[in-house]
């Protein structure tokens, strides 16, 4: 299974999507439908965490977004083809970064709690 990069927001999308998961722009570059609401804005069930940076005393980390990770193997694509991708693990993490030192922390997304 491949990926494509959104021409609008430069986010990486899986080939099985016809529009960007983040901004709604179609794979061919067409704008999102009227009233499109990004998945990120639909998925919050509570406010992002307030986290102090473990390296910088008194500095609060900023929520910088959500990242999707997909892990699977293509060790025997000739046997399963794209069906093998169904068995791959997908996780979403909230990313928090320190504006001072750049340290990044990952947490399971609110959707999974």
């Amino acid at each position: 299974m491949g990926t494509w990069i959104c021409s609008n927001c430069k986010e990486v999308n899986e080939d099985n999507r016809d529009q960007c998961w983040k901004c709604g722009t179609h794979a061919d570059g067409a704008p999102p439908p009227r009233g499109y609401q990004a998945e990120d804005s639909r998925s919050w069930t509570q406010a992002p965490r307030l986290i102090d940076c473990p390296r910088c005393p008194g500095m609060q980390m900023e929520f910088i977004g959500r990242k999707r990770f997909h892990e699977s193997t293509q060790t025997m694509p000739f046997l399963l083809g794209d069906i093998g991708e169904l068995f791959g693990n997908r996780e979403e993490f909230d990313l928090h970064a320190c504006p001072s030192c750049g340290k990044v922390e990952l947490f399971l997304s609110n959707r999974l709690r």
Side-chain angles (χ1 to χ4, degrees), residues 3-22:
T3 60
W4 58 275
I5 298 176
C6 176
S7 60
N8 180 45
C9 70
K10 309 300 184 223
E11 186 65 39
V12 176
N13 293 274
E14 295 176 3
D15 270 344
N16 64 346
R17 300 185 72 89
D18 61 345
Q19 67 187 97
C20 178
W21 68 269
K22 185 174 183 181

Side-chain angles (χ1 to χ4, degrees), residues 4-87:
W4 58 275
I5 298 176
C6 176
S7 60
N8 180 45
C9 70
K10 309 300 184 223
E11 186 65 39
V12 176
N13 293 274
E14 295 176 3
D15 270 344
N16 64 346
R17 300 185 72 89
D18 61 345
Q19 67 187 97
C20 178
W21 68 269
K22 185 174 183 181
C23 72
T25 301
H26 292 272
D28 64 2
R34 183 176 285 244
Y36 176 81
Q37 187 177 9
E39 287 185 20
D40 277 354
S41 63
R42 291 191 303 247
S43 62
W44 287 108
T45 57
Q46 54 183 288
R49 294 173 174 88
L50 299 176
I51 303 164
D52 289 331
C53 178
R55 292 183 180 170
C56 305
M59 181 64 70
Q60 188 169 347
M61 298 181 88
E62 297 175 358
F63 174 74
I64 58 173
R66 177 171 288 153
K67 182 70 177 166
R68 294 178 178 191
F69 291 93
H70 175 97
E71 52 183 321
S72 66
T73 180
Q74 284 288 331
T75 55
M76 292 188 273
F78 56 89
L79 291 177
L80 298 174
D82 287 342
I83 294 173
E85 290 290 320
L86 295 174
F87 303 109

Side-chain angles (χ1 to χ4, degrees), residues 53 56 59-62 96-105:
C53 178
C56 305
M59 181 64 70
Q60 188 169 347
M61 298 181 88
E62 297 175 358
H96 295 263
C98 176
S100 178
C101 71
K103 178 169 177 48
V104 176
E105 294 278 338

